[in-house]
Amino acid sequence: MSFSDDVRSAFRRGESDAVVRMSTAEIERARAAGDAAGEVEARYSLARVAIRGGDLALGETRAREALDVAVRSGDRALQERPRHVLAAVARMAGDLDRARDLYRESIALNESLGRPETVNSETHNLAFCELGLGNLAEARRLFALSRTRVFQHGWDDFVPYVCVAGAALASAEGDHSRAALMVGLADAAFAAIGQVPDPDDAADLAAVRDAAVGALGPAAYAAAQERGRQLDPRTAFDDDER
């Protein structure tokens, strides 16, 4: 496997210490070799670890360092991951207007690069901005668009994030029973592919859990969450499509 594959797999498994070790070594190697792509990937990975640890300021600094390397390289494709992180930091910091603009810019960049799967993931993130801004109809539309693409194209790695979106939307609509169900669905979907949520999605799930437990009580929440674990993500949204 390449460094990119190795480090991303380690991050998805939640192995933050391993990501830091691998990325620090890769920065030294890449700088010595003049390998801008390797250095950007390593700095981007360090940014993600910082964000997962709750240090948004450091995450932003690391992402800007990665973006600087990408811009200097002249390869626009290398700008994609750092720009994604900067948008995520803005969203997690609560600056949703800025995050929305950054996600739209990221979507445009990825469209120009011919990366439909990344366009879709950024559409999902844009929907979360709309949700946070109270634009429920637009968030619902964007989530549905993203979900349809995921199931049509068989982008299995993104199925858990479809479930996260379902949980967040249900919570925003005040349907805490469905939100708890969707949390269970998301938990099972992440386990099925051996991954943990990205930092921003983990924060979204935690907020949904807190709201649902507060509304339903711990016992009812736990029962609904367990029911969600037994569902098939590809049929759990059938009622939403009607």
Side-chain angles (χ1 to χ4, degrees):
M1 293 177 69
S2 66
F3 167 75
S4 177
D5 290 336
D6 284 343
V7 78
R8 293 191 188 198
S9 294
F11 183 84
R12 292 287 191 184
R13 292 191 301 268
E15 299 170 0
S16 294
D17 289 344
V19 172
V20 171
R21 289 195 302 272
M22 295 166 63
S23 298
T24 301
E26 177 64 8
I27 288 172
E28 293 184 8
R29 184 209 65 79
R31 293 183 71 180
D35 178 3
E39 186 176 353
V40 168
E41 182 73 25
R43 293 189 183 280
Y44 155 72
S45 298
L46 290 177
R48 297 178 85 197
V49 168
I51 295 167
R52 175 176 281 170
D55 193 337
L56 295 182
L58 180 59
E60 182 174 8
T61 296
R62 297 293 185 240
R64 290 197 179 281
E65 290 170 349
L67 183 59
D68 287 345
V69 174
V71 170
R72 287 198 302 270
S73 77
D75 185 348
R76 292 181 70 242
L78 295 183
Q79 297 182 28
E80 185 269 321
R81 287 290 82 188
R83 290 191 181 279
H84 163 77
V85 171
L86 291 172
V89 167
R91 178 159 78 89
M92 294 181 74
D95 190 350
L96 297 180
D97 287 317
R98 174 168 169 73
R100 179 169 58 183
D101 289 342
L102 291 173
Y103 280 125
R104 286 172 173 166
E105 290 174 6
S106 181
I107 288 168
L109 173 63
N110 281 286
E111 286 175 340
S112 73
L113 294 171
R115 294 178 172 178
E117 192 167 355
T118 308
V119 168
N120 192 64
S121 67
E122 295 296 67
T123 299
H124 163 93
N125 291 321
L126 176 60
F128 267 103
C129 293
E130 299 291 358
L131 191 67
L133 289 166
N135 303 325
L136 265 63
E138 179 64 2
R140 191 181 302 110
R141 183 188 74 81
L142 292 170
F143 281 141
L145 176 62
S146 175
R147 180 173 67 245
T148 298
R149 289 169 175 168
V150 167
F151 292 141
Q152 283 182 346
H153 293 285
W155 292 331
D156 292 343
D157 284 352
F158 205 78
V159 168
Y161 297 94
V162 165
C163 303
V164 173
L169 183 60
S171 183
E173 293 174 334
D175 189 346
H176 296 291
S177 293
R178 179 169 174 78
L181 199 78
M182 287 289 160
V183 171
L185 187 67
D187 289 344
F190 278 114
I193 62 173
Q195 293 183 5
V196 297
D198 283 348
D200 49 351
D201 295 285
D204 291 323
L205 280 176
V208 170
R209 287 191 185 99
D210 289 346
V213 170
L216 303 173
Y221 170 81
Q225 183 181 18
E226 183 56 34
R227 288 196 302 274
R229 290 179 182 274
Q230 312 307 317
L231 297 178
D232 180 349
R234 287 162 182 77
T235 59
F237 295 92
D238 284 353
D239 287 344
D240 297 342
E241 306 300 332
R242 297 189 184 114

